Amino acid sequence: MSTDADIPGVSEEKKRASYADLVALPENVLGQLIDGELFALPRPGSDHTEASTELLLLLGAPFRRGLGGPGGWRLLAEPELHLDEDVLVPDLAGWREERFPRRSGPFYTVVPDWLCEVLSPSTTLLDRNRKLPLYARAGVDYVWLVDPAAQTLEAFQREGDGWRLLATFVGQAKVRAEPFAALEFPLGLLWPDAGPVAR
């Protein structure tokens, strides 16, 4: 008696990836588990890294330290989030201070209040089509998508299981967006080769 698995070209259902599969990845690879599928990506390029770092620096002083802003936030670069069975590594994550998890392990299980993904050619589809819906289901309130190639920042707010686009900022625009609307900053600060930025 033969089964589908005995027929050439027909395989058994794809095995779900585990956390052990993710941990086994080489150190120079960023791994994420989404709906049981392992995504292994190279470390981000320079434009991606610079945009992410600049944004963290811009938001950190007023919202983390309370320097020139309201404070009250914890902001982290590339935290490992365990949201049910999914393991994600957003570029930036923020929790309101009163919700910040006092963790005892290498990852975070409390859903952030805000996330930012910096898009690159190798991650755009994953970030938009797989991670955004997952973030909405998990209960993240705000997501920003930053695209260094297009020089854009899109700010979203969760509505039910989906997202409402609050605003799109382009090039050298002045950005003021929730949940950090207490600060206005020139978007051009995120683009390393944009030249002088009007402040």
Side-chain angles (χ1 to χ4, degrees):
M1 178 177 184
S2 68
T3 65
D4 284 348
D6 298 323
I7 301 170
V10 177
S11 62
E12 296 180 50
E13 187 176 325
K14 188 174 180 180
K15 176 183 169 270
R16 287 179 67 83
S18 69
Y19 190 63
D21 297 321
L22 188 150
V23 172
L25 291 172
E27 286 186 20
N28 64 332
V29 172
L30 184 83
Q32 301 182 82
L33 287 173
I34 301 175
D35 298 325
E37 188 174 350
L38 178 64
F39 291 86
L41 301 165
R43 299 299 303 171
S46 59
D47 286 351
H48 181 289
T49 301
E50 288 188 48
S52 179
T53 301
E54 288 297 332
L55 185 56
L56 183 61
L57 291 171
L58 282 166
L59 298 176
F63 293 99
R64 169 66 178 106
R65 301 289 179 202
L67 300 174
W73 284 81
R74 288 293 186 101
L75 303 169
L76 298 176
E78 295 187 350
E80 183 176 309
L81 304 177
H82 287 224
L83 306 178
D84 292 325
E85 294 183 3
D86 299 303
V87 178
L88 303 159
V89 182
D91 292 299
L92 300 173
W95 291 262
R96 296 182 193 279
E97 185 69 45
E98 63 273 12
R99 294 188 62 255
F100 185 70
R102 304 295 180 229
R103 66 185 182 89
S104 58
F107 52 81
Y108 298 85
T109 58
V110 174
V111 175
D113 297 293
W114 168 83
L115 292 171
C116 178
E117 295 287 2
V118 179
L119 308 177
S120 60
S122 63
T123 66
T124 297
L125 289 176
L126 178 66
D127 289 336
R128 286 188 181 278
N129 299 340
R130 300 293 294 274
K131 293 174 80 173
L132 260 183
L134 194 155
Y135 291 150
R137 286 195 313 267
V140 177
D141 290 326
Y142 297 93
V143 169
W144 289 5
L145 297 180
V146 172
D147 187 338
Q151 295 190 348
T152 60
L153 184 156
E154 297 167 273
F156 296 89
Q157 182 174 13
R158 182 171 50 87
E159 277 192 349
D161 287 338
W163 296 100
R164 176 169 59 97
L165 178 63
L166 298 174
T168 300
F169 304 93
V170 181
Q172 303 285 331
K174 301 279 187 183
V175 175
R176 187 181 293 275
E178 292 295 342
F180 302 115
L183 172 71
E184 181 180 89
F185 64 90
L187 185 60
L189 292 175
L190 306 187
W191 323 134
D193 300 322
V197 174
R199 305 211 184 243

